[in-house]
């Protein structure tokens, strides 16, 4: 188990030549960088411009990555009715899309017949998986990086299965 820094993530994306895919499986994430934005969102004082500034490093990285022709896809499996966190995340997803990411949503009840790994992950160029481990209440716990071919095959198959039945962001309405 390891902790990856912002510089590590930047390096991984800059090294990616073809594709990066991300599967999110949780209904709640407790991300310290988002805490203030969520408080404002909850109070009805959500400021999209401020939220976008808070995500600037990530959005710049996505623009840089996709401008090189790298395809970045994100799929989210969510329980319905969705949690407050997912409603907040949905509100900010247009930033990801404008930065070049493609995003799809899959209601959890439609994922019952899919084989899925136990943790969120990023898969880079079908050659490296980065699993993100979280605590029960959604706090980040650790990261695990592997080039194990079985893990890569599982994650690739899982992501593509979710992507095939996922709903594009523009068509998904949180239930």
């Amino acid at each position: 188990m390891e902790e990856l820094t912002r510089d590590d993530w930047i390096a991984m994306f800059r090294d990616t030549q073809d594709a990066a895919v991300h599967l999110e499986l949780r209904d709640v994430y407790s991300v310290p960088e988002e805490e203030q934005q969520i408080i404002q969102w909850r109070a009805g004082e959500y400021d999209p411009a401020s939220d976008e500034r808070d995500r600037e490093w990530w959005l710049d990285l996505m623009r840089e990555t996709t401008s090189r022709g790298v395809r970045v896809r994100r799929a989210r499996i969510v329980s319905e009715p969705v949690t407050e966190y997912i409603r907040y995340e949905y509100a900010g997803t247009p930033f990801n899309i404008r930065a070049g990411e493609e995003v799809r949503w899959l209601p959890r009840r439609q994922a019952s017949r899919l084989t899925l790994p136990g943790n969120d992950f990023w898969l880079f160029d079908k050659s490296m998986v980065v699993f993100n481990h979280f605590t029960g209440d959604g706090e980040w716990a650790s990261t695990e990086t592997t080039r194990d071919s079985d893990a890569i095959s599982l994650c690739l198959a899982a992501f593509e299965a979710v992507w095939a039945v996922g709903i594009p962001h523009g068509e998904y309405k949180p239930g």
Side-chain angles (χ1 to χ4, degrees):
M1 304 289 180
E2 58 189 284
E3 181 174 351
L4 298 176
T5 66
R6 181 180 291 189
D7 288 341
D8 292 330
W9 286 101
I10 290 170
M12 284 187 292
F13 276 96
R14 286 185 175 159
D15 289 344
T16 301
Q17 300 300 309
D18 182 50
V21 301
H22 184 39
L23 183 60
E24 297 178 19
L25 302 167
R26 299 186 54 85
D27 289 317
V28 176
Y29 294 90
S30 180
V31 181
E33 296 83 22
E34 295 175 338
E35 192 171 312
Q36 189 59 40
Q37 290 293 343
I38 290 173
I39 291 168
Q40 291 172 345
W41 180 82
R42 206 177 274 142
E45 300 167 358
Y46 177 69
D47 177 10
S50 174
D51 195 5
E52 189 171 21
R53 281 190 304 275
D54 287 349
R55 301 176 191 204
E56 187 173 25
W57 81 270
W58 179 262
L59 300 173
D60 286 346
L61 180 60
M62 291 303 97
R63 281 187 282 273
E64 174 190 317
T65 301
T66 58
S67 72
R68 293 187 291 108
V70 174
R71 188 174 186 197
V72 178
R73 296 182 291 161
R74 179 186 300 260
R76 295 172 169 146
I77 297 177
V78 295
S79 300
E80 292 182 324
V82 299
T83 62
E84 178 184 59
Y85 180 85
I86 295 299
R87 285 194 306 275
Y88 163 76
E89 190 173 53
Y90 180 85
T93 297
F95 302 129
N96 299 77
I97 293 169
R98 282 195 299 271
E101 290 186 43
E102 300 170 56
V103 180
R104 292 191 181 179
W105 302 82
L106 182 64
R108 193 171 308 281
R109 69 180 179 284
Q110 295 177 24
S112 297
R113 297 178 189 263
L114 302 180
T115 300
L116 301 170
N119 295 289
D120 290 16
F121 66 85
W122 277 97
L123 174 59
F124 295 93
D125 284 338
K126 301 178 186 174
S127 65
M128 180 178 70
V129 177
V130 178
F131 289 106
N132 293 309
H133 302 282
F134 295 91
T135 65
D137 58 3
E139 292 184 20
W140 182 85
S142 65
T143 306
E144 174 187 357
T145 303
T146 183
R147 293 185 182 276
D148 176 74
S149 61
D150 291 338
I152 290 167
S153 294
L154 169 66
C155 291
L156 180 60
F159 183 86
E160 294 300 344
V162 171
W163 193 258
V165 295
I167 303 165
H169 177 76
E171 299 172 24
Y172 179 69
K173 303 298 176 229

